[in-house]
Amino acid sequence: MKTWNSRIGALLMLCGMAGPLLAQSDPNFHQPLFTWRDGVMAGAFTLGTLAIRPFDKRVADVMQQPDRQRNRFLRKAAVTVRELVAPGSVIIGVTMYTTGRIAKNERLAELGLRGTEALLIGEGAGSVLKDFFGRARPFADSVPNPNDWQLMRGFSAGGKYQSFPSGHAVAAFAAAAAVTAETSRWWPNSTWAIGPAMYGGAAMVGLSRMYDNRHWASDVIMGAAIGTFAGIKVVRYHHEHPGNHLDKWLLNASVSPGDLSHISFSILPAFR
C-alpha cells in the first residue's frame, strides 16, 4: 500500500511524457493536424485509464489515509499546486501574453497565447464530458463508489457529479504540452529538460486532486490525455497555418505605452 503514491505518480508521468516524446519534429517539416503518432499517444492514455480504473477505490483509500491527510506538508503542497492551476494558469498565460506584447517579445507573447488557447480548448472539451458521463466524485456518496456513473447527470446534478475527467488535470497538462511543444521548436535540445519539468508539475496537480478527494485516478489520467492533446494540437495548428486570423489579430497587436497617465492599445490585423 505504501508504494501506491509512487506508482500512480509514475503512471501519470509515463502517460504525460508520451506527449513530448511524440511531439518532437523537424520545425521545417509540414505535417497534418492528426498523425499516426497521435494514435499511439491516444492508445497510451487509453491503456493508462483502463489499467488504473479497477484500482480507483483502492487508490482513493490510500490517498485518504488519516496520516497522509494530517500531513501539513502534503496539505500545503496540494493547496499550492491547485491554486497555481485555477486560477493561476489563466493569469500566468494572460500575463505572459500581455508582457510579451508590451515588451515586443514575440516568443513570450506566443507562449502565453498558446498556453491559454490550449487551456480553454481542453477545458471546453473536458466540461462537456463531465456533464455527459455524470460520474460521482469520491466525496459524493456516503461510501465512495467509483462505479457511480449516470449519463447526462452532470448537466442537472452539478459539480458533485462531474468527476470524469479532471478539469485541473486538463488545464495543467494543456499548459505543459503547449509549453513543451512550443519551446521544442525554438530549442530542440531543451525538450529533455523542459518536458519532464512541465509534465512533472502537471502530474503533481493530478495527484493533488486525488489527495483532496475530488477525483478518482482514472479521472486524472483522462484529464491528462485531453490536456496533452489540446496543447500539442494548438501549437501544431498554428505552426502549420501561420496566417490564421487569430494570430493576425492577437500576435500582431500593437501595444504602445505612453506616459504614466496614458497607455494606448491598438489591435489591428496584419495585412500581408
Side-chain angles (χ1 to χ4, degrees), residues 110-111 114 177-187 235 239:
E110 188 173 355
L111 199 60
R114 300 292 177 253
V179 170
T180 302
E182 192 70 83
T183 55
S184 69
R185 294 174 180 271
W186 302 336
W187 312 297
V235 173
H239 280 276

Side-chain angles (χ1 to χ4, degrees), residues 6 12 22 40 42 52 56 76 80-81 94 106 133 142 144 150 163 173 179 182 186 198 236 239 251-252 258:
S6 59
L12 284 169
L22 295 173
V40 173
I52 202 64
D56 274 341
K76 289 181 179 180
T80 299
V81 297
V94 172
E106 183 177 346
F133 285 107
S142 56
Q150 185 176 321
S163 189
F173 278 86
V179 170
E182 192 70 83
W186 302 336
M198 295 301 301
R236 184 180 299 172
H239 280 276
L251 287 181
N252 288 281

Side-chain angles (χ1 to χ4, degrees), residues 1-2 5 60-75 211:
M1 297 289 283
K2 292 182 179 180
N5 282 354
D61 289 342
V62 170
M63 288 289 187
Q64 297 310 304
Q65 287 182 358
D67 60 334
R68 287 189 172 87
Q69 290 299 309
R70 287 194 298 266
N71 188 299
R72 295 179 64 183
F73 173 78
L74 293 178
R75 176 59 55 191
Y211 180 81

Side-chain angles (χ1 to χ4, degrees), residues 72-250:
R72 295 179 64 183
F73 173 78
L74 293 178
R75 176 59 55 191
K76 289 181 179 180
V79 171
T80 299
V81 297
R82 181 181 71 240
E83 292 181 350
L84 280 175
V85 173
S89 55
V90 174
I91 295 173
I92 292 170
V94 172
T95 300
M96 290 174 64
Y97 169 77
T98 304
T99 302
R101 299 316 301 156
I102 293 174
K104 301 187 184 302
N105 186 322
E106 183 177 346
R107 286 186 171 180
L108 181 62
E110 188 173 355
L111 199 60
L113 180 59
R114 300 292 177 253
T116 304
E117 282 184 77
L119 188 152
L120 294 176
I121 291 172
E123 283 292 300
S127 295
V128 171
L129 293 177
K130 281 174 172 289
D131 291 332
F132 177 79
F133 285 107
R135 190 185 197 185
R137 294 181 186 269
F139 67 84
D141 299 318
S142 56
V143 177
N145 179 14
N147 298 314
D148 186 357
W149 305 71
Q150 185 176 321
L151 296 183
M152 305 296 181
R153 179 169 56 181
F155 287 102
S156 59
K160 289 175 63 177
Y161 300 97
Q162 296 174 339
S163 189
F164 184 87
S166 166
H168 280 72
V170 170
F173 278 86
V179 170
T180 302
E182 192 70 83
T183 55
S184 69
R185 294 174 180 271
W186 302 336
W187 312 297
N189 295 329
S190 70
T191 302
W192 298 104
I194 295 176
M198 295 301 301
Y199 281 93
M204 292 300 297
V205 172
L207 289 171
S208 76
R209 297 305 285 162
M210 290 185 282
Y211 180 81
D212 286 338
N213 206 31
R214 292 299 187 267
H215 284 289
W216 306 100
S218 54
D219 299 339
V220 173
I221 300 296
M222 184 51 62
I226 295 170
T228 300
F229 265 95
I232 291 175
K233 296 308 167 190
V234 162
V235 173
R236 184 180 299 172
Y237 173 82
H238 284 287
H239 280 276
E240 295 299 325
H241 302 82
N244 66 83
H245 293 296
L246 185 64
D247 282 357
K248 285 182 177 180
W249 281 94
L250 295 181

